[in-house]
Amino acid sequence: MGKPLKLLVICVIVLSALFVYATRSRFTWEVTGIDNNQDQRMVDEHDVQEGKDDLLSNSTWNPCTFDICFNLEKCPFTHPFATYVYDDLLTSSSKENPFSPQLLVDVLKETGSYTSDPTKACVFFSILWNRESERENVGHLETQIHSLAQWGEYGENHILVELSTDQSPGRSMLEGVSTGKAIIARSVISPAKLFRTGFDILLPPLRTAEADSMDLLSPLLPVSRETFIHFHGEHSPHQHRGPGAITPEHIRSLQQLLKGKERVDIQLQCQQPATGKTKRAVEGQWMLCGDQKSRLELCSKSMFSLVPSPGGPNAGTGVGIYTRLIESLMCGSIPVVVGVGVLPFDEVIDWSRAGLIVPSGRYSDILYILRSVSSGDIQNFRLKGRHLWYTYFSSPLRVVQIAVAIVRSRTLHPPPPAPHFVGKQLLYFPAPHHKQITSPSFTNDFTAYSWSFWNDIPGPLFSYPSSPFNPGLHFSRLNEVAVAHSASQSAKGRAAIESTFKKNFLVNVPPEQFTVVIITYKRNEELMEGLAHLKGIPSLNKVVIVWNNEDDPSADLKWPDIGIPIVVVRGKGNSLNNKFLPYKAIETEAVLQLDDDVLMAPEEIEFGFRQ
């Protein structure tokens, strides 16, 4: 038998076997009544039910991500980002609690993200206050949460904010509570697996007394300080130390290495616990010592402050770690964070610009790392740390504002425009001799959420027409742009192209003018003389006079005609700070601030603006 015939016989046998198997399988399905599609549906329903069980289980952990558990249909681009705040706190208020629902509403109104109509809300806020007495009845708290008016079945688009201070217990009051699809914003993670990166929000612990916070800030100069490194804390032992834990033995070894070389301030037993009680912190955690004022006095004398991990990335973290971190920013001491996996707001904050982030495995080399930091780096760390403290941590209300901003950025809603200060307008002299050109407004709404947007001035709460991070074409680049352009249009010649760019050097941005803001107080003659010197400036859009006098301008005051509008607005009392307010009359990005007795030649002002 030839090879082709053999192959044909083999193929026939294989096909016959497949036909018999398929027929028998179909007969079995028909006899037993099993539907293959029904079987698949049963599997799918099992998976769905299993997912529901995860969401409704008696645990704060569930497999939520922002894409899965957040309903963006409630946050359309056609409507502004809106937040609804429940009227009552879920836990009882106390003298330690600086919050009231109305206070939170007032702050959210300032950022334009509040609505009193829950049907128009994108997210729903409810505040919990972490106190020891309120951790006992888990079932009652869960019933309260599930009874929220807009909760529904799973609490979609809800944010449960668990506020803690350095006196709060070291455990979350939401442990064992079913939170469904709600985002949890809190300061305590125990264990660390309960934190869902990109979904939950890690808050810093709050200060209960914020009125004197600015008074507690330490000066950032000189760079050199009395103490090299500082740490006061007491370790609460745990029989199961996690990997990467920084123990008292580790800190004593650093103390021995520095002995006789650098001055250190290390104490591993608290003479006064942070709570003022004998109760120790949660097992395995480092307990704070003393009150905040005494801790800030100590760290303000130190160049570096140690912020050690309690026991590896899976051991969880408590308020003590984050309190040390925030206080080091306040006192200008560089935080040395060792082995801490998650830091407050690290979804948006670049913590490496404000301190040293050291893996626990590098603890033995920490002395070499610290000695390599230059004086310039120390000052940069301090400046960035002070900016982060003021922007993110300076008050409990600011903390909640930032939490709202983070959720807003996840939905890709732009921040609201920065508010204007609307002072009482006293006079207006419209006298334009040339076309008035205002600045372009908000052209980069959906590209604003860059790393620098969160980590540099002006911050994430408001949007602005532009920023120093997206400048236009500068004189220094005119030549290279002209050369590149002339290469594609060589017939026109390089000289002609360069001449065109030099005449229209703002070719890639809209033309713009600037506003002069002058603050004045009882110097009318000097003011009129200064105004007269502003005549004939081509790029001047308007002059805004901030009138700090108690009386309005007199009717016989002779105002010079300088060819552009002059607006006189009432200041908020007699304060030099009035000239820094964003008056609504200012319609340009560029502002030149002058005192009422300053005289400058028009060509000097124009040259300075064009540079």
Side-chain angles (χ1 to χ4, degrees), residues 61-318:
W61 185 90
N62 58 57
C64 267
T65 65
F66 191 78
D67 287 339
I68 294 173
C69 291
F70 194 90
N71 186 0
L72 284 171
E73 291 182 1
K74 294 183 179 180
C75 311
F77 279 146
T78 53
H79 294 80
F81 182 85
T83 299
Y84 178 78
V85 180
Y86 286 104
D87 292 338
D88 298 320
L89 299 171
L90 284 182
T91 56
S92 60
S93 59
S94 69
K95 64 180 181 180
E96 297 175 355
N97 187 352
F99 273 90
S100 70
Q102 186 56 49
L103 187 60
L104 181 58
V105 165
D106 292 341
V107 171
L108 293 176
K109 283 181 178 178
E110 291 180 8
T111 58
S113 58
Y114 172 75
T115 179
S116 59
D117 185 354
T119 63
K120 297 180 180 179
C122 170
V123 296
F124 306 87
F125 257 87
S126 189
I127 306 293
L128 304 90
W129 194 248
N130 190 347
R131 302 173 68 210
E132 186 69 34
S133 60
E134 292 167 348
R135 294 195 66 262
E136 299 174 358
N137 195 338
V138 172
H140 176 64
L141 178 58
E142 184 172 302
T143 300
Q144 282 186 295
I145 292 174
H146 292 188
S147 299
L148 294 171
Q150 306 298 319
W151 183 264
E153 187 176 6
Y154 299 120
E156 270 187 344
N157 293 32
H158 278 65
I159 303 178
L160 302 178
V161 183
E162 182 183 1
L163 300 177
S164 304
T165 69
D166 59 4
Q167 298 185 30
S168 298
R171 295 176 59 197
S172 168
M173 63 187 300
L174 286 172
E175 286 187 37
V177 176
S178 171
T179 57
K181 293 184 177 181
I183 295 172
I184 309 300
R186 58 183 173 184
S187 305
V188 181
I189 308 173
S190 182
K193 69 177 183 179
L194 296 182
F195 182 76
R196 298 163 293 185
T197 303
F199 187 72
D200 292 335
I201 300 173
L202 182 60
L203 303 177
L206 308 180
R207 298 179 59 245
T208 54
E210 57 176 334
D212 60 346
S213 58
M214 298 299 292
D215 296 333
L216 294 176
L217 298 180
S218 304
L220 301 183
L221 289 173
V223 172
S224 180
R225 288 185 172 181
E226 181 180 337
T227 305
F228 184 70
I229 192 168
H230 157 270
F231 179 78
H232 282 203
E234 187 170 330
H235 195 262
S236 183
H238 196 287
Q239 58 180 346
H240 302 295
R241 288 178 179 172
I246 304 302
T247 64
E249 291 75 20
H250 288 103
I251 297 180
R252 287 193 189 97
S253 66
L254 177 63
Q255 189 175 18
Q256 290 299 318
L257 286 173
L258 289 167
K259 189 175 182 180
K261 300 176 182 178
E262 305 280 2
R263 179 166 179 176
V264 297
D265 183 8
I266 292 177
Q267 291 186 15
L268 300 180
Q269 283 189 328
C270 290
Q271 297 177 355
Q272 178 190 2
T275 59
K277 303 175 183 179
T278 57
K279 183 183 70 174
R280 291 298 183 255
V282 175
E283 287 185 324
Q285 301 282 344
W286 281 101
M287 184 179 66
L288 295 168
C289 296
D291 57 16
Q292 185 187 59
K293 185 176 181 180
S294 64
R295 292 194 298 267
L296 289 176
E297 288 177 353
L298 289 171
C299 82
S300 64
K301 302 175 184 179
S302 180
M303 294 177 64
F304 298 98
S305 290
L306 190 62
V307 183
S309 164
N314 296 318
T317 53

Side-chain angles (χ1 to χ4, degrees), residues 472-502:
L473 184 66
H474 192 267
F475 268 124
S476 62
R477 296 206 58 204
L478 288 181
N479 189 60
E480 60 182 273
V481 174
V483 171
H485 190 63
S486 63
S488 61
Q489 303 184 41
S490 56
K492 295 183 179 180
R494 173 174 173 174
I497 298 298
E498 286 184 345
S499 175
T500 301
F501 272 88
K502 288 177 181 178

Side-chain angles (χ1 to χ4, degrees), residues 488-562:
S488 61
Q489 303 184 41
S490 56
K492 295 183 179 180
R494 173 174 173 174
I497 298 298
E498 286 184 345
S499 175
T500 301
F501 272 88
K502 288 177 181 178
K503 289 179 180 178
N504 306 281
F505 61 88
L506 291 179
V507 67
N508 69 328
V509 294
E512 190 183 87
Q513 297 172 342
F514 68 98
T515 303
V516 168
V517 175
I518 301 176
I519 189 168
T520 185
Y521 181 73
K522 294 184 177 181
R523 290 197 291 196
N524 292 346
E525 292 184 7
E526 290 86 347
L527 174 64
M528 299 305 134
E529 185 179 0
L531 284 173
H533 273 72
L534 300 178
K535 185 173 183 178
I537 301 177
S539 301
L540 183 54
N541 177 273
K542 186 186 300 180
V543 177
V544 176
I545 308 295
V546 181
W547 192 264
N548 273 3
N549 299 350
E550 295 85 356
D551 302 325
D552 292 347
S554 62
D556 59 351
L557 194 60
K558 295 182 180 180
W559 296 84
D561 181 5
I562 59 175

